[in-house]
């Protein structure tokens, strides 16, 4: 493994036996891209990969030379303004009105390990042997601006993590209007573009389309990564499936506005760019100013999408997520939101917790409505003190009572928001994001605090600190329930208004970081009206996220399946809720609700007191099951077997690291009469091991993977003698033990 620099040809080769990434300094000093893919052997020169052919009508860089046109070479971090007419990775508006730049190779360093990114979330390594980092410095001599492109190669992952930093050493104020985290020119466009799009309560549905000439993209301009699109895309070769074929996953470690764009030119090369969305972005780079882009991670697989996903799962679970909870199986929780909404008393909450404790639940989470005068969603946000009318002993006494039951206590906050009917807003009306003299739009009757301002973040930190240092709180659900509009900060000068949404996210990260540091024992779960900010940026601070407000088991199949392409099961918040389901009114079996939720950070979101004794018995069994297998479910290797986007059946599985235990979840949407014989081919088993299935018959791993596991369902979903008939929405988790 290593990062090689061949000085005679000015070539960089990053290779770890799994992947190779090749770059070369071009004749004009810019950085060219030669190859990203399966590892190839190193050599002094890869100059033959730099194809240059004379093409009519091309604009060429050097007078007297008709070969070298930037339009026709693959580049690493392209600029606009010379001979390339595709979209650039960086654009700088200068005082004279020019946007032309010319970044020329200056120097580079290769270091062990991976440096931290100041103020931004990023993957990391725990020892210097885990990674090497190449930093290439390029210079625009006229502006006296340095561009540092940083590439980390991990020893154990087919991954390149990269970012860019700009430093203004000149004397002029500059405006950075585009600064992408990655740009990758691919030699052809024979790919399918896969993205994960949706809306509130139907997040991350998988969408696939052929790449076509022209620009195709997904993005957010909402101030958060959004329910609508996720900062994760894939390019896969046609025919690629879970186990075979070539695919590259692109993931942006960022929670704000993003753009993931592929531009296919009319010669069918494909330029992928990803980073902060240039739409509305304008960062003033004063003399001595620096701008650091977020990190982007590219993962390569020539063994299908499953392999790529497991790369992201492992990297993000253990080298992006941090803290005391990183490697720990997650507590089984009960959340009161769908049980009570705003309608609760202290005794009611304790009665919910008590029933849950009897059944084995470990953590009680008090959701929205405990603070200020918050009895509906018009009031109270911003006033982070307990509502003593509903909770006469405050959070401290409630937390003590929960503690007395032998459970941990968790609390909901929505730190970034304020209602106009709140003491905070009355004291600081200028603290919300709004444009002077214009109407302020609301979302759920609430307004967005200007987290680009340190005094605002400080105020919220102090309010949260006070509660958290008084009460025994071991978990926080951090919610965020609206997109940002009328983007304008009272605290920023006119020529810095384009910085607001990035500064806002930096403020969010800062608050998370301070709380992580002050309360390292607290497990954070991020949330944004469900999965409106489910991204790698927040995984750095909160190792799990509330995946969606849609808690219906059948809807969740698609949501969790789509989410699993990039994000590990240990990050996927999933609860068993009541029926009829509150979002879609569907009635599903209690078993299926649990069978879906246990491929996530399992919990309940209903009042268990409302269940029958028979159902309570089932709940106790589910919790015992989860406690026995959560290590495998949350930290094992995850395999997708059948897609809910393709058929009536969904299947996925988790395999322990030693391959001795596997859990295969099988889910049927609608029942069918006298259907065909069916099998699912399992994955990830040891072919040599003989596995018992549900404690009964055994089969060898090779048979289960190549012939398949019989799932013919003419009788019953759960296949328990006491539950004879199978119906709609049935499911089963097969337990395989070597
Ligand atoms: C939206 C979240 O996604 C829900 O789980 C719940 O916490 C509500 N907000 C509370 O207002």
């Amino acid at each position: 493994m290593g990062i090689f620099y061949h000085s005679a040809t000015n070539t960089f080769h990053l290779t770890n036996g799994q992947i190779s990434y090749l770059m070369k300094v071009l004749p004009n000093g810019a950085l060219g891209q030669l190859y990203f893919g399966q590892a190839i052997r190193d050599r002094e020169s890869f100059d033959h990969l730099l194809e240059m052919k004379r093409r009519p009508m091309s604009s060429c860089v050097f007078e007297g030379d008709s070969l070298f046109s930037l339009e026709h070479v693959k580049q690493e971090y392209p600029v606009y303004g010379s001979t390339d007419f595709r979209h650039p990775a960086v654009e700088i508006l200068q005082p004279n009105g020019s946007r032309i730049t010319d970044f020329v190779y200056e120097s580079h360093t290769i270091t062990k390990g991976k440096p931290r990114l100041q103020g931004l979330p990023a993957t990391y390594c725990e020892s210097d042997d885990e990674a090497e980092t190449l930093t290439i410095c390029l210079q625009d001599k006229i502006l006296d601006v340095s561009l540092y492109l940083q590439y980390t190669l991990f020893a154990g992952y087919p991954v390149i993590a990269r970012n860019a930093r700009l430093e203004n050493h000149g004397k002029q104020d500059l405006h950075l209007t585009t600064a992408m985290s990655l740009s990758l020119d691919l030699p052809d466009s024979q790919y399918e573009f896969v993205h994960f799009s949706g809306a509130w309560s139907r997040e991350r549905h998988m969408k696939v389309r052929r790449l076509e000439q022209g620009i195709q993209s997904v993005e957010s301009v909402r101030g958060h990564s959004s329910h609508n699109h996720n900062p994760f895309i894939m390019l896969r070769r046609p025919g690629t499936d879970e186990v075979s074929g070539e695919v590259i996953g692109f993931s942006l470690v960022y929670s704000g506005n993003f753009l993931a764009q592929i531009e296919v030119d009319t010669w069918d090369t494909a330029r992928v760019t990803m980073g902060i969305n240039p739409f509305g972005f304008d960062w003033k780079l004063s003399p001595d100013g620096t701008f650091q882009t977020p990190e982007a991670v590219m993962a390569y697989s020539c063994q299908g999408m499953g392999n790529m996903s497991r790369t992201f799962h492992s990297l993000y679970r253990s080298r992006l997520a941090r803290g005391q909870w990183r490697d720990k199986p997650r507590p089984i929780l009960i959340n009161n939101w769908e049980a009570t909404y705003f309608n609760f008393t202290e005794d009611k909450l304790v009665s919910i917790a008590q029933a849950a404790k009897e059944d084995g639940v470990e953590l009680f989470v008090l959701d929205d409505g405990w603070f200020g005068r918050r009895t509906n969603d018009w009031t109270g946000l911003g006033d982070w003190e307990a509502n003593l009318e509903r909770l006469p002993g405050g959070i401290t006494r409630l937390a003590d009572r929960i503690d007395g039951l032998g459970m941990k206590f968790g609390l909901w906050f929505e730190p970034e928001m304020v209602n106009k009917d709140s003491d905070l807003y009355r004291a600081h009306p200028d603290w919300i994001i709004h444009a002077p003299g214009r109407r302020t739009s609301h979302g759920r009757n609430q307004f967005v605090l200007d987290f680009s301002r340190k005094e605002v973040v400080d105020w919220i930190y102090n309010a949260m600190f006070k509660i958290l240092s008084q009460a025994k709180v071991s978990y926080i659900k951090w919610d965020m329930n609206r997109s940002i509009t009328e983007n304008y900060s009272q605290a920023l000068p006119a020529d810095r208004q384009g910085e607001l949404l990035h500064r806002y996210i930096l403020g969010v990260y800062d608050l998370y970081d301070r709380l992580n540091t002050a309360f390292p024992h607290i497990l954070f779960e991020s949330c944004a009206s469900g999965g409106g900010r489910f991204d790698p940026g927040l995984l750095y601070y909160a190792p799990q996220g509330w995946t969606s407000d849609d808690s219906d088991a059948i809807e969740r199949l698609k949501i969790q399946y789509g989410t699993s392409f990039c994000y590990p099961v240990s990050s996927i918040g999933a609860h068993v809720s009541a029926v009829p389901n509150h979002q879609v009114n569907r009635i599903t079996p209690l078993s299926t609700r649990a069978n879906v939720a246990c491929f996530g950070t399992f919990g309940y979101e209903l009042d268990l007191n409302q269940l029958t004794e028979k159902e309570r018995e089932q709940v106790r069994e589910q919790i015992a099951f989860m406690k026995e297998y959560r290590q495998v479910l949350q930290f094992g290797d995850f395999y997708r077997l059948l897609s809910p986007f393709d058929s009536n059946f969904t299947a996925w599985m988790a395999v322990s690291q030693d391959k001795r235990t596997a859990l295969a979840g099988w889910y049927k949407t609608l029942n069918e009469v006298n259907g065909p014989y069916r099998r699912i081919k399992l994955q990830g088993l040891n072919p040599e091991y003989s596995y018992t299935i549900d404690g009964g018959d055994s089969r060898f791993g090779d048979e289960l993977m190549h012939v398949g596991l019989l799932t013919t369902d003419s009788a019953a979903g759960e296949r328990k003698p006491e539950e004879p008939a199978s119906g709609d929405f049935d499911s089963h988790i097969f337990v395989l033990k070597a």
Side-chain angles (χ1 to χ4, degrees):
M1 120 118 186
I3 297 178
F4 302 101
Y5 173 63
H6 300 296
S7 53
T9 53
N10 263 327
T11 303
F12 299 94
H13 186 185
L14 292 73
T15 184
N16 60 5
Q18 298 187 62
I19 52 165
S20 281
Y21 195 84
L22 279 168
M23 296 175 281
K24 173 184 170 56
V25 178
L26 298 173
N28 68 335
L31 207 54
Q33 154 66 220
L34 297 181
Y35 173 72
F36 177 39
Q38 203 169 348
I40 54 172
R41 148 191 350 253
D42 190 43
R43 50 184 286 160
E44 269 304 305
S45 168
F46 287 97
D47 282 0
H48 48 280
L49 294 178
L50 182 64
E51 280 186 277
M52 287 194 276
K53 294 273 184 284
R54 177 192 290 268
R55 291 173 193 270
M57 262 306 285
S58 286
S59 306
C60 296
V61 177
F62 301 112
E63 288 183 39
D65 170 286
S66 301
L67 280 185
F68 183 54
S69 165
L70 291 169
E71 186 170 15
H72 298 296
V73 290
K74 289 181 277 123
Q75 293 168 75
E76 211 32 50
Y77 204 73
V79 298
Y80 174 78
S82 180
T83 57
D84 187 1
F85 302 96
R86 295 167 290 179
H87 279 229
V90 60
E91 200 170 11
I92 301 174
L93 175 62
Q94 300 145 46
N96 66 0
S98 167
R99 291 172 187 265
I100 298 164
T101 51
D102 189 11
F103 284 101
V104 170
Y105 170 82
E106 183 82 11
S107 61
H108 71 271
T109 56
I110 297 170
T111 50
K112 291 242 164 239
K114 183 175 193 292
R116 298 258 155 160
L117 283 196
Q118 196 62 38
L120 280 165
T123 55
Y124 58 89
C125 51
E126 290 197 326
S127 83
D128 278 356
D129 298 338
E130 288 181 10
E132 272 184 30
T133 298
L134 165 68
T135 307
I136 301 176
C137 174
L138 299 109
Q139 196 81 23
D140 183 291
K141 297 241 162 44
I142 292 187
L143 297 180
D144 203 3
V145 169
S146 304
L147 165 66
Y148 294 91
L149 299 179
Q150 199 165 73
Y151 301 83
T152 294
L153 175 74
F154 290 88
Y157 293 101
V159 153
I160 300 282
R162 55 187 284 194
N163 68 79
R165 193 175 83 248
L166 287 121
E167 290 178 3
N168 183 359
H169 302 296
K171 295 193 167 42
Q172 314 181 82
D173 282 333
L174 304 171
H175 282 265
L176 202 50
T177 54
T178 301
M180 304 307 280
S181 297
L182 86 82
S183 180
L184 180 69
D185 284 354
L186 295 166
D188 65 82
S189 62
Q190 298 300 306
Y191 290 98
E192 287 167 342
F193 172 29
V194 187
H195 56 97
F196 298 88
S197 301
W200 174 80
S201 269
R202 63 170 164 82
E203 296 89 339
R204 291 172 294 286
H205 281 212
M206 185 177 186
K207 308 283 172 192
V208 183
R209 49 178 141 145
R210 272 303 292 260
L211 274 190
E212 298 290 351
Q213 291 185 357
I215 288 180
Q216 38 254 285
S217 64
V218 289
E219 65 172 357
S220 171
V221 294
R222 294 170 169 266
H224 54 115
S225 48
S226 90
H227 304 85
N228 309 66
H229 297 290
N230 196 264
F232 170 69
I233 60 166
M234 298 190 290
L235 289 186
R236 68 178 190 196
R237 296 293 188 188
T240 297
D241 56 21
E242 287 292 330
V243 294
S244 66
E246 204 179 19
V247 55
I248 310 175
F250 300 89
S251 169
L252 185 67
V253 187
Y254 190 58
S255 311
N257 284 357
F258 74 91
L259 173 68
Q261 173 174 294
I262 303 120
E263 178 172 4
V264 180
D265 66 16
T266 50
W267 293 271
D268 285 323
T269 61
R271 170 169 295 173
V272 185
T273 44
M274 199 176 207
I276 293 178
N277 199 334
F279 182 95
F281 172 81
D282 179 346
W283 192 274
K284 183 173 172 186
L285 202 58
S286 299
D288 296 326
T290 295
F291 184 78
Q292 173 63 59
T293 73
E295 174 169 276
V297 178
M298 307 183 290
Y300 173 82
S301 164
C302 55
Q303 293 162 321
M305 296 179 291
N307 188 53
M308 180 221 61
S309 291
R310 285 183 293 282
T311 296
F312 276 113
H313 295 170
S314 171
L315 182 72
Y316 283 1
R317 200 169 52 210
S318 61
R319 291 296 179 268
L320 176 63
R322 301 171 302 163
Q324 292 181 10
W325 281 100
R326 188 187 76 178
D327 304 326
K328 284 194 197 146
R330 301 301 153 69
I332 294 169
L333 65 80
I334 185 141
N335 177 302
N336 76 306
W337 180 242
E338 286 198 13
T340 65
Y341 295 103
F342 289 117
N343 188 16
F344 59 81
T345 60
E346 184 178 314
D347 286 343
K348 172 81 179 166
L349 297 174
V350 173
S351 81
I352 292 174
Q354 196 148 15
K357 171 64 189 171
E358 284 164 17
D359 294 352
V361 172
E362 299 156 316
L363 166 69
F364 172 80
V365 178
L366 172 54
D367 210 279
D368 194 355
W370 58 267
F371 50 88
R373 281 177 297 284
R374 181 85 165 166
T375 47
N376 56 50
D377 57 24
W378 284 86
T379 176
L381 281 176
D383 295 342
W384 299 111
E385 282 177 7
N387 178 335
L388 296 179
E389 279 169 30
R390 332 183 100 179
L391 303 173
I395 288 299
T396 312
R397 188 173 82 186
L398 175 62
D400 285 345
R401 287 181 72 183
I402 301 296
D403 186 60
L405 295 174
M407 293 175 95
K408 300 284 184 201
F409 177 73
L411 198 56
W412 179 97
F413 285 92
E414 194 175 359
E416 300 151 73
M417 298 291 158
V418 69
N419 288 118
K420 285 197 173 169
D421 183 7
S422 68
D423 294 341
L424 177 60
Y425 181 79
R426 279 182 282 273
H428 298 287
D430 62 315
W431 277 10
I432 64 169
I433 292 180
H434 70 289
R438 298 196 182 274
R439 187 174 44 237
T440 46
S441 314
H442 75 99
R444 203 194 185 199
N445 312 308
Q446 64 194 49
F447 302 85
V448 185
L449 287 171
D450 185 350
F451 262 43
S452 74
R453 295 170 71 168
K454 185 164 180 316
E455 69 272 27
V456 176
V457 177
D458 285 349
W459 196 95
I460 297 293
Y461 174 77
N462 290 333
M464 292 177 76
F465 184 90
K466 195 166 160 206
I467 295 228
L468 299 175
S469 35
Q470 286 166 355
K472 288 183 190 141
V473 178
S474 2
Y475 161 107
I476 286 178
K477 178 175 172 188
W478 177 323
D479 206 345
M480 193 278 191
N481 283 301
R482 64 160 291 185
S483 302
I484 309 178
T485 56
E486 287 87 31
N487 303 326
Y488 190 92
S489 171
Q490 304 300 306
L492 290 171
D495 59 356
R496 287 195 181 273
Q497 289 297 332
E499 300 176 15
L500 172 60
L501 291 182
H502 182 56
R503 287 186 181 275
Y504 177 90
I505 286 294
L506 294 179
V508 171
Y509 291 153
D510 178 42
L511 181 59
Y512 256 117
D513 212 44
R514 286 153 75 176
L515 292 168
N516 283 169
T517 307
F519 304 99
H521 65 284
I522 291 184
L523 169 62
F524 282 80
E525 176 153 345
S526 71
C527 174
S529 281
R533 208 163 54 182
F534 201 105
D535 57 59
L538 287 191
L539 269 188
Y540 186 71
Y541 308 96
Q544 61 190 57
W546 182 225
T547 317
S548 175
D549 271 350
D550 195 336
S551 61
D552 172 71
I554 299 304
E555 293 287 302
R556 275 298 187 116
L557 290 173
K558 286 184 175 156
I559 295 168
Q560 292 178 207
Y561 193 93
T563 303
S564 80
F565 278 87
C566 181
Y567 305 99
V569 171
S570 60
S571 71
I572 295 180
H575 300 167
V576 174
S577 62
V579 290
N581 173 267
H582 293 193
Q583 292 77 42
V584 293
N585 225 8
R586 184 177 285 138
I587 297 179
T588 52
L590 181 55
S591 52
T592 291
R593 282 174 269 155
N595 288 346
V596 175
C598 71
F599 281 86
T601 64
F602 189 78
Y604 290 82
E605 193 159 331
L606 75 178
D607 183 353
L608 292 170
N609 293 302
Q610 309 290 320
L611 301 191
T612 63
E613 191 38 48
K614 193 165 171 235
E615 288 171 323
R616 290 287 293 277
E617 185 50 42
Q618 240 185 305
V619 167
R620 284 191 273 276
E621 283 173 18
Q622 292 167 354
I623 291 171
F625 175 87
M626 194 60 198
K627 285 181 180 168
E628 186 172 353
Y629 294 113
R630 60 184 154 183
Q631 178 70 37
V632 180
L633 289 161
Q634 295 170 353
F635 295 90
D637 288 332
F638 182 77
Y639 296 83
R640 288 175 298 267
L641 307 175
L642 294 174
S643 168
F645 297 104
D646 293 343
S647 83
N648 194 35
F649 294 91
T650 302
W652 52 42
M653 67 187 288
V655 183
S656 64
Q657 298 301 335
D658 65 6
K659 296 190 182 287
R660 303 198 72 84
T661 307
L663 298 143
W666 170 92
Y667 311 87
K668 171 179 61 182
T669 303
L670 292 181
N671 209 6
E672 52 182 11
V673 176
N674 207 1
Y677 292 106
R678 292 181 200 278
R679 297 167 184 162
I680 37 175
K681 288 187 177 177
L682 303 187
Q683 296 177 40
L685 301 175
N686 184 326
E688 308 290 330
Y689 288 172
S690 172
Y691 294 88
T692 57
I693 299 162
D694 292 341
D697 290 352
S698 37
R699 306 270 183 276
F700 277 101
D702 56 359
E703 179 187 323
L704 291 166
M705 292 192 290
H706 306 318
V707 183
L709 173 71
L710 297 179
T711 59
T712 303
D713 175 37
S714 55
E718 264 299 308
R719 285 184 184 70
K720 286 187 182 165
E722 69 275 17
E723 286 178 64
S726 167
D728 293 345
F729 318 128
D730 268 338
S731 65
H732 183 72
I733 294 190
F734 296 92
V735 178
L736 291 96
K737 287 191 178 167

